[in-house]
Amino acid sequence: MMITSCLLSSLLLASVPQFAGAWSGQPKQSSPPRNTALSKDVATRRSFLAGLATASTLATVATSFPSPASADDEELIDCYFGCGCFWHVQHEFVEAERKILGRSDDQITSRAGYAGGKAGALDGKVCYHNAGNVADYGKLGHAEVVSMRIPSSKFYDFAVEYCKLFDKDGFRPDQFGDRGTEYRNLVGIPGGKSSALAELLVKASVDTGDKLDFAVGKGDDRDVPKVSFIMDTSEYPSFVGEQYHQFHDGFAFGENYPNSYNSLASAFAKKGEDFGKCPNGSLGIGLGGL
């Protein structure tokens, strides 16, 4: 098992189908040449969009969903986003729920969890690394994700927040620390690549600097820098993580969130939310991954 910055912090604290072509104009002159082996697996943006919609469709897709008077009245979708260690990512999406949807603490739906593996759950469980080696998420092919339930009309806004997690070169915050399939980039949406939401995801990427490529996730996918795998949530659902991973401080120095944030996990548990029956971490303690 690779010791990465997210896992190390825990210990210290207690055949993808080929798409062809690029989506958004000619390759930037400053961009390094693509790895030819990688190009067999990864879709570039032009062909991905060509398979989904014309440019004129993209110009209007953000307004194609109904806009009821209140977000409470419209369809809610279950989706998830993965981008390395889920601690920091969860915090960013909690803030997005507050900012975009005006949700209060007790309305927050963002949860740290696991998704993207072919094996699904083992005996109803998907667990973090643990001393008993019970339903280990990495061995089941899953990656760390943050799931949420949001209005379909706001998916574009959340996709923008996701794309903003990557730096100007398309690398995630922990790209050179947390590496391996457990930390790969992925987005789960109803319908996967065939959904209009996939078009919105692509548009969000283009609108935030055109930093990412996308591929159709087939389960157990590789960790490929600058690439995010699009998963169909009906085939690759998310599994909620353990309580001790919820609303956790970030992996990087300085990402110490307020107690009001950290305490949300126990608040939801007291209200009856089920965070599963997995063993309590690597040493059975259930604190910071231990």
Side-chain angles (χ1 to χ4, degrees), residues 35-254:
N35 183 305
T36 55
L38 175 61
S39 67
K40 294 179 180 179
D41 290 336
V42 176
T44 53
R45 288 180 288 278
R46 186 187 299 278
S47 67
F48 189 90
L49 288 181
L52 293 174
T54 63
S56 61
T57 301
L58 276 179
T60 60
V61 69
T63 59
S64 64
F65 291 107
S67 300
S70 169
D72 294 336
D73 299 328
E74 69 177 284
E75 174 194 8
L76 297 178
I77 59 167
D78 293 309
C79 59
Y80 57 78
F81 298 89
C83 176
C85 180
F86 48 20
W87 293 343
H88 168 76
V89 177
Q90 183 180 25
H91 178 264
E92 298 308 294
F93 279 110
V94 167
E95 292 302 304
E97 287 194 71
R98 290 170 172 160
K99 177 180 68 175
I100 298 169
L101 303 178
R103 286 178 172 168
S104 58
D105 283 352
D106 62 348
Q107 296 173 316
I108 295 298
T109 65
S110 293
R111 298 290 186 272
Y114 315 105
K118 294 179 180 178
L122 181 62
D123 296 327
K125 298 177 182 178
V126 176
C127 304
Y128 192 70
H129 310 304
N130 58 85
N133 200 28
V134 175
D136 185 295
Y137 81 100
K139 293 181 179 180
L140 293 174
H142 295 296
E144 297 186 10
V145 301
V146 174
S147 63
M148 64 208 68
R149 177 166 290 181
I150 59 175
S152 56
S153 67
K154 297 298 183 182
F155 177 79
Y156 170 82
D157 301 278
F158 280 81
V160 165
E161 295 302 315
Y162 175 68
C163 294
K164 286 163 59 177
L165 293 172
F166 298 85
D167 69 16
K168 62 181 179 63
D169 297 313
F171 294 117
R172 59 179 181 256
D174 57 353
Q175 185 72 60
F176 303 104
D178 289 336
R179 288 176 288 179
T181 60
E182 297 165 2
Y183 304 104
R184 64 187 182 270
N185 309 320
L186 68 170
V187 177
I189 50 178
K193 73 178 182 67
S194 300
S195 169
L197 299 174
E199 300 173 25
L200 292 174
L201 175 62
V202 170
K203 185 177 188 302
S205 177
V206 173
D207 291 347
T208 54
D210 200 11
K211 299 173 289 188
L212 294 175
D213 283 322
F214 296 92
V216 177
K218 305 299 288 186
D220 300 356
D221 300 295
R222 296 182 298 147
D223 180 19
V224 183
K226 308 182 186 183
V227 173
S228 188
F229 292 92
I230 298 178
M231 317 299 296
D232 186 339
T233 53
S234 65
E235 187 174 0
Y236 299 100
S238 62
F239 301 89
V240 68
E242 297 83 348
Q243 181 178 333
Y244 66 82
H245 275 309
Q246 307 298 331
F247 310 101
H248 198 290
D249 288 337
F251 62 85
F253 290 110

